[in-house]
Amino acid sequence: MDGLDGAADDRELLSDRIRNALEDEIATGKLEAGAALDEQQLADRFGASRTPVREALRQLSVSGLVEMRARRGVVVARMTPERIMDMFETVAEIESMCVRLATYRMTPLERSHLIELHDSSETLVKTGDFDAYDVFNRAFHEAIYHATHNSFLAEQAIMIRNRLAAFRRAQLQQEQRLDRSRAEHEAIMQAIAEGDGEMASRRMRAHMLNAATALRRFIEASKLI
């Protein structure tokens, strides 16, 4: 059984790597809207079987980045810059609401967990571990969602976060963004510690709009390469 479990874990890790690579290329425009994604070609490119490729494409479909079309197979979905910015504006408002409620409602244990998460990110920034910071960033924000103790709001926040995952990941690659992201988290944490939900809300909104700006700059820089 251990061997079977290990093989399944390996496939899952490989599908995650394939998904991340394709997310980055879609978010930066290297894979343009309408581009076909052939399972066998992707399997050859990543040195994988078609199973993890199929799983990666399924995950991309769930997040709305690709479309499964009859007779055309899998193609990159159309996402205009205006649409992406609209989504960032929306998520900024949702996250600002989440952190305001979480500031007043989180338990001491939840606050301690959030502090530990934030502290763990210092090493990731110093080493420039982009992939690990991306994983941490998701955990940090989702901890805030759950600390609202409003399960419907948390579900909606996670759903829209998943739609923006590729773009939130891409913006972290903009120069100095890891440092700035952590500094913005630090300011949010300070407001939470002071019990100031309104300040935490304003800082979270600014944090998300800064991420949108970083994404725009990163995409513009990528097109020049």
Side-chain angles (χ1 to χ4, degrees):
M1 289 296 292
D2 289 343
L4 291 175
D5 290 341
D9 289 343
D10 288 343
R11 282 197 300 272
E12 183 175 345
L13 289 171
L14 184 53
S15 69
D16 286 344
R17 288 198 294 271
I18 295 169
R19 185 198 70 231
N20 285 342
L22 294 176
E23 278 184 344
D24 290 346
E25 292 177 9
I26 292 171
T28 58
K30 292 178 182 177
L31 277 174
E32 297 181 347
L37 299 175
D38 180 80
E39 281 187 13
Q40 189 57 57
Q41 289 179 358
L42 290 172
D44 293 342
R45 172 185 167 186
F46 290 103
S49 69
R50 294 175 69 158
T51 299
V53 169
R54 193 173 296 120
E55 174 58 21
L57 293 176
R58 186 193 68 78
Q59 293 174 17
L60 292 173
S61 176
V62 169
S63 64
L65 290 178
V66 304
E67 298 174 356
M68 308 284 192
R69 295 183 178 177
R71 294 183 297 279
R72 286 193 61 190
V74 182
V75 298
V76 177
R78 179 169 175 75
M79 291 284 280
T80 65
E82 292 78 15
R83 173 76 169 174
I84 295 166
M85 291 303 114
D86 285 348
M87 291 171 71
F88 263 101
E89 183 179 54
T90 302
V91 80
E93 294 303 318
I94 290 175
E95 297 228 6
S96 66
M97 184 193 310
C98 284
V99 78
R100 179 170 57 81
L101 290 176
T103 298
Y104 301 129
R105 296 179 177 181
M106 68 175 57
T107 66
L109 188 61
E110 287 170 334
R111 185 176 292 105
S112 176
H113 174 60
L114 196 60
I115 291 170
E116 288 176 1
L117 277 173
H118 176 60
D119 288 347
S120 72
S121 68
E122 184 175 10
T123 300
L124 306 181
V125 172
K126 286 181 177 178
T127 59
D129 193 335
F130 159 72
D131 287 324
Y133 191 91
D134 180 44
V135 172
F136 146 77
N137 197 44
R138 174 182 288 271
F140 179 83
H141 284 268
E142 291 191 359
I144 291 173
Y145 306 159
H146 293 301
T148 64
H149 294 273
N150 181 321
S151 60
F152 180 78
L153 179 58
E155 289 167 6
Q156 298 307 304
I158 290 171
M159 182 173 67
I160 194 169
R161 180 184 181 84
N162 289 339
R163 288 291 303 276
L164 269 176
F167 304 101
R168 294 181 74 152
R169 174 182 166 82
Q171 60 88 21
L172 292 172
Q173 298 182 61
Q174 209 264 329
E175 188 176 2
Q176 300 298 313
R177 183 57 194 156
L178 291 189
D179 296 274
R180 292 170 185 155
S181 175
R182 188 174 192 281
E184 290 162 13
H185 285 171
E186 180 71 34
I188 292 166
M189 293 296 296
Q190 182 179 352
I192 291 173
E194 294 171 359
D196 192 339
E198 298 305 322
M199 179 61 75
S201 177
R202 288 194 294 273
R203 289 177 176 176
M204 178 63 82
R205 184 182 294 107
H207 173 56
M208 294 308 306
L209 296 178
N210 287 342
T213 300
L215 174 64
R216 191 190 72 243
R217 289 173 178 165
F218 179 70
I219 292 174
E220 289 172 352
S222 297
K223 289 179 179 177
L224 297 175
I225 296 174

